[in-house]
Amino acid sequence: MQNERIKPIVMPKWGLSMSEGKITGWLKQPGSTIAVGDDLLEVETDKITNVVEAGEAGTLRRVLAEPGNVYPVKALIAVLADPDVPETEVDAFVAGYAVPKGDDGAEAEAAPRYLFTETPAGTLRYAKRGDGGPTVLLVHGFGGDLDNWLFTIDALAEGATVYALDLPGHGQSTKAVADPTLAGLSAALRGFMDTVGIGPAHLVGHSMGGAVSMRTALDAPDRVASLSLIASAGLGPEINHAYIQGFIAATGRRDLKPVLETLFADPGLVSRQMTEDVLKYKRLDGVDGALRALSAALFDGGAQAGVLHGAVAAAGKPTLVVWGGQDRIIPAAHATALGSNARAEVIPNAGHMVQMEAAGTVNALLKEHIGVR
Amino acid sequence: MARKISMKQAINEALDLEMTRDPSVVVMGEDIVGGTGSPGEDDAWGGVLGVTKGLYAKHGDRLMDTPLSESAYVGAAIGAATCGLRPVAELMFIDFMGVCFDQIFNQAAKFRYMFGGKAETPVVIRAMVGAGFRAAAQHSQMLTPVFTHIPGVKVVCPSNAYDAKGLLIQSIRDNDPVIFCEHKNLYGLECDVPAESYAIPFGEANVLRDGGDVTIVSYGLTVHRAMEAAEALARDRVEAEVVDLRTLSPIDWDTIIDSVERTGRLVVVDEAHPRCSIASDVAAFVGQNAFGALKAGVQMVTAPHVPVPFSPVLEDLYIPNAPSIAEAARRTLSPTGTSPRSIAA
């Protein structure tokens, strides 16, 4: 039953492991007029709490999901419709609503969430979402993993083929980091692209992953269609060394949580589960050594070893720079390091994990820059 | 990569990984291989409940079937530990520890102290604990407090497969004697466990649920009962914070005190008998160090001070259950300290 004037609002899917979400509160009342991008409600998952933005405009005619309750991904939680749509039609839409199946449904769910591939740098974990359109490769930062893109990957995959990997030493990839320099990580990234068969790609790098992406654009320009640098390393010498040292040193929840809180403008986003997930990673054999080696090679003495903006500016790749105005890890002043050679956007009220904290805005910028439709 | 495995498999995997990593790790115990020296399948049993099954095929004679003499082989494991091996002795049921008290309490626990820090005893003694297995009074005790009482011995009691693997690996790498307590009724319980090696540090409690109204502290099997109780309380709008101690010696006092300072109420759940238990220990510590934060008397939910019954009906009543834990939490929320059925506002 298709009705162009009635639009469902469903429980979003954030990240590969999300199967359900809890409504923590509605930010709009029934009857409100909704514009695209308006904050509609807050949803809590076992990883993080975030705001759901309106993807379409209309009047909020029905709010079906109650705060405090848990709903599966894609469940109908509210209905938008034009004001002149009769109540009976809205009711009929709700009554007849079926969770969509098909290529984005059952088949995608049945496919493995995470994939593993043997590369010259060792076993690497990755995810692939979407088909057709431009090819995008998401590269996380120091101590991160591909789940740092949980709000990004599916949004881009609506109109692109999106890959995200765990770099060596990270996530569920090999913990051996043969060469902990930017050149070494870039070589590992290109080895991954070769193994999986990824042609020239739009590289989206966060923090250390941004510097790895820049290094790749310099060392193998034919592999890189464009650069999107999010709170990126490599654009200036400053970095919060206390954060790097604190992240490496923390062995328990009580040490780690305050360290993770510096990643966000809103420290309340660091949930018990997020802290526990990072701890589970940090406890794995080999991780401590990998992080120490990377830190020594890239941030020795509290200054970034690889400052690449001069070379990247000269290389002339289309480049987008995005920063959170409240970044406490790498200063937002680095956003303008590429001058007129890049589009720079600083998002106020977001921290270092700007792609999570202001996901809607960052996704829109990425889609525009990469040409995702 | 993570996949769902049982606690029994997680313990087997931890032993396998550490035996592979470190040739000084050896495993000994009664029938841990099963069938050695007799005709038939070489690796038939793998211990009384099959925890070590398959390890003999991979690691051969580094697994030793011992005579039925706990005094002898626990002593041998402790002696070997002081001489450079990292033995893991399996003692079937913790109830049998009685015949090894001298080896554990007077020898292993004391070497580091009495030899001026020059001796280390990196031994792990694994044993099954707990009731609910219809194994009667001599095979069902929760003797964790007995070992926690002794300085020089570390005591671990995981509640799930993830923790069991990481804590056993830490136990094997630790340079002091560790009593590793495995609740036999948790062996089949599955959760996500990484295939790789990882170690969980001792003295780091896990917070399984956030809540601002009452703190419930437990370990082992009763952690799951505490979580059930917390879900029931949440239906009455009471939010319980559930703390899983994971290790009893050392114990994470900071997490307990932090939580009680926020909630002002404490329920301690222990499957051991009530006298001189983990429950009474935690209650006393909080009473002494966070009295000002308490809004109500501390509640203990424990097994009764009687041997574990063999009657299945009585045995099920013996183990602390979710309704009794929820009821104790409600008592801390009652202004009179009595027990109203509901405090929902």
Side-chain angles (χ1 to χ4, degrees):
Chain A
M1 129 170 189
Q2 280 296 332
N3 186 330
E4 292 298 316
R5 302 172 69 209
I6 304 181
K7 299 146 195 163
I9 297 171
V10 302
M11 176 60 72
K13 181 170 173 63
W14 290 330
L16 305 177
S17 57
M18 177 172 170
S19 61
E20 58 185 25
K22 180 177 173 182
I23 310 281
T24 48
W26 284 91
L27 306 171
K28 287 282 188 292
Q29 299 308 311
S32 310
T33 305
I34 309 292
V36 173
D38 280 359
D39 291 346
L40 285 177
L41 73 155
E42 277 193 346
V43 168
E44 178 187 322
T45 73
D46 57 3
K47 304 270 188 226
I48 197 168
T49 300
N50 203 8
V51 170
V52 178
E53 295 175 357
E56 294 178 287
T59 299
L60 189 58
R61 297 290 293 271
R62 293 285 184 281
V63 168
L64 303 164
E66 288 179 30
N69 286 357
V70 173
Y71 297 88
V73 165
K74 292 180 188 160
L76 185 68
I77 55 175
V79 178
L80 285 179
D82 296 335
D84 57 336
V85 175
E87 292 292 323
T88 50
E89 272 188 42
V90 176
D91 287 336
F93 178 85
V94 171
Y97 188 81
V99 174
K101 292 210 166 57
D103 30 317
D104 196 36
E107 287 168 40
E109 300 299 334
R113 291 170 181 164
Y114 299 113
L115 303 160
F116 289 83
T117 184
E118 297 299 326
T119 76
T123 305
L124 298 184
R125 182 180 72 152
Y126 70 103
K128 177 182 182 240
R129 307 290 279 180
D131 248 317
T135 301
V136 182
L137 176 52
L138 307 174
V139 189
H140 65 78
F142 177 81
D145 66 23
L146 59 84
D147 281 333
N148 293 162
W149 304 108
L150 83 169
F151 300 127
T152 318
I153 188 164
D154 285 320
L156 296 183
E158 287 166 12
T161 307
V162 189
Y163 295 87
L165 85 163
D166 290 342
L167 289 169
H170 290 83
Q172 294 182 21
S173 289
T174 176
K175 299 307 174 296
V177 187
D179 177 359
T181 64
L182 292 180
L185 293 172
S186 171
L189 186 71
R190 278 176 277 139
F192 166 76
M193 293 171 82
D194 292 340
T195 311
V196 178
I198 302 174
H202 297 269
L203 297 192
V204 179
H206 175 244
S207 196
M208 180 188 80
V212 173
S213 301
M214 283 193 267
R215 189 72 256 167
T216 307
L218 297 173
D219 292 351
D222 55 321
R223 311 297 298 272
V224 180
S226 78
L227 287 171
S228 299
L229 307 173
I230 301 176
S232 182
L235 295 173
E238 294 85 7
I239 188 157
N240 181 345
H241 199 45
Y243 168 79
I244 302 287
Q245 290 174 310
F247 185 86
I248 292 172
T251 57
R253 169 175 37 83
R254 295 153 56 82
D255 311 328
L256 184 62
K257 193 159 185 280
V259 173
L260 296 181
E261 283 172 355
T262 58
L263 289 168
F264 295 87
D266 174 7
L269 289 175
V270 179
S271 64
R272 182 174 47 72
Q273 188 61 45
M274 186 191 294
T275 310
E276 184 62 22
D277 286 347
V278 176
L279 272 181
K280 282 183 174 174
Y281 155 69
K282 288 198 77 231
R283 287 176 189 138
L284 294 170
D285 278 7
V287 168
D288 187 67
L291 292 177
R292 286 177 194 279
L294 288 166
S295 168
L298 301 176
F299 318 119
D300 193 30
Q304 296 189 39
V307 178
L308 306 172
H309 55 83
V312 168
K317 289 285 177 197
T319 302
L320 168 72
V321 181
V322 182
W323 229 283
Q326 310 286 314
D327 194 322
R328 287 183 277 166
I329 310 299
I330 303 178
H334 290 193
T336 52
L338 290 167
S340 60
N341 295 292
R343 175 180 177 190
E345 296 285 344
V346 177
I347 299 166
N349 304 322
H352 190 62
M353 304 303 285
V354 58
Q355 81 276 31
M356 296 171 86
E357 237 174 338
T361 312
V362 173
N363 290 342
L365 288 168
L366 289 173
K367 284 182 182 177
E368 191 186 331
H369 178 66
I370 295 165
V372 176
R373 278 183 295 193
Chain B
M1 62 178 293
R3 69 266 111 99
K4 283 200 191 309
I5 60 171
S6 69
M7 187 158 115
K8 185 167 23 178
Q9 290 170 298
I11 291 167
N12 182 291
E13 198 167 274
L15 291 168
D16 187 16
L17 287 166
E18 285 301 283
M19 291 188 87
T20 304
R21 185 188 67 86
D22 182 350
S24 70
V25 177
V26 297
V27 177
M28 51 208 290
E30 294 160 3
D31 283 331
I32 57 157
V33 177
T36 307
S38 64
E41 198 183 346
D42 235 7
D43 194 19
W45 292 359
V48 65
L49 291 183
V51 175
T52 47
K53 196 167 174 58
L55 294 180
Y56 183 74
K58 289 186 186 173
H59 304 286
D61 288 344
R62 285 164 63 202
L63 286 94
M64 282 162 275
D65 271 346
T66 63
L68 283 172
S69 172
E70 289 83 4
S71 325
Y73 76 82
V74 167
I78 290 167
T82 63
C83 295
L85 292 183
R86 290 188 178 271
V88 180
E90 177 183 306
L91 208 121
M92 288 194 180
F93 298 93
I94 202 166
D95 315 69
F96 304 162
M97 288 271 201
V99 296
C100 332
F101 274 8
D102 182 68
Q103 288 85 333
I104 297 169
F105 293 171
N106 288 327
Q107 310 305 328
K110 303 294 190 284
F111 286 159
R112 179 187 287 283
Y113 296 82
M114 295 185 74
F115 296 131
K118 290 178 182 166
E120 288 183 330
T121 314
V123 66
V124 181
I125 305 175
R126 293 177 40 235
M128 285 187 281
V129 296
F133 202 65
R134 313 299 184 229
Q138 296 161 323
H139 303 78
S140 303
Q141 297 173 86
M142 192 59 151
L143 294 179
T144 41
V146 175
F147 298 93
T148 303
H149 186 68
I150 307 296
V153 176
K154 294 175 180 172
V155 184
V156 178
C157 189
S159 69
N160 61 74
Y162 174 84
D163 287 353
K165 180 172 168 181
L167 289 168
L168 183 52
I169 288 174
Q170 176 62 37
S171 301
I172 293 169
R173 295 177 186 180
D174 197 278
N175 285 335
D176 287 311
V178 177
I179 309 294
F180 193 87
C181 305
E182 302 165 12
H183 202 295
K184 43 182 113 50
N185 277 7
L186 293 176
Y187 272 156
L189 189 69
E190 295 189 346
C191 71
D192 282 341
V193 179
E196 300 140 285
S197 278
Y198 59 94
I200 299 176
F202 290 165
E204 168 92 8
N206 196 14
V207 179
L208 295 177
R209 188 179 193 287
D210 300 312
D213 297 323
V214 56
T215 302
I216 306 178
V217 173
S218 192
Y219 66 94
L221 174 88
T222 46
V223 164
H224 302 277
R225 307 272 166 97
M227 287 295 283
E228 272 178 60
E231 297 306 322
L233 289 164
R235 288 194 283 276
D236 290 342
R237 297 178 186 279
V238 173
E239 293 300 336
E241 187 146 296
V242 178
V243 176
D244 177 358
L245 292 172
R246 295 203 283 216
T247 68
L248 307 173
S249 185
I251 188 168
D252 185 354
W253 294 124
D254 289 341
T255 291
I256 298 170
I257 295 289
D258 268 8
S259 181
V260 171
E261 282 178 345
R262 274 184 292 106
T263 63
R265 302 178 182 89
L266 174 64
V267 176
V268 201
V269 185
D270 190 355
E271 198 188 313
H273 308 297
R275 302 284 314 283
C276 304
S277 62
I278 303 303
S280 62
D281 189 35
V282 170
F285 188 90
V286 169
Q288 189 167 13
N289 295 284
F291 186 72
L294 287 172
K295 297 172 185 160
V298 175
Q299 295 289 323
M300 302 200 306
V301 182
T302 68
H305 197 66
V306 295
V308 180
F310 184 53
S311 150
V313 177
L314 291 177
E315 187 180 17
D316 289 342
L317 283 171
Y318 172 94
I319 307 169
N321 57 35
S324 64
I325 298 166
E327 188 58 33
R330 292 192 173 100
R331 279 199 295 278
T332 68
L333 285 144
S334 151
T336 59
T338 56
S339 54
R341 284 291 152 191
S342 170
I343 51 81

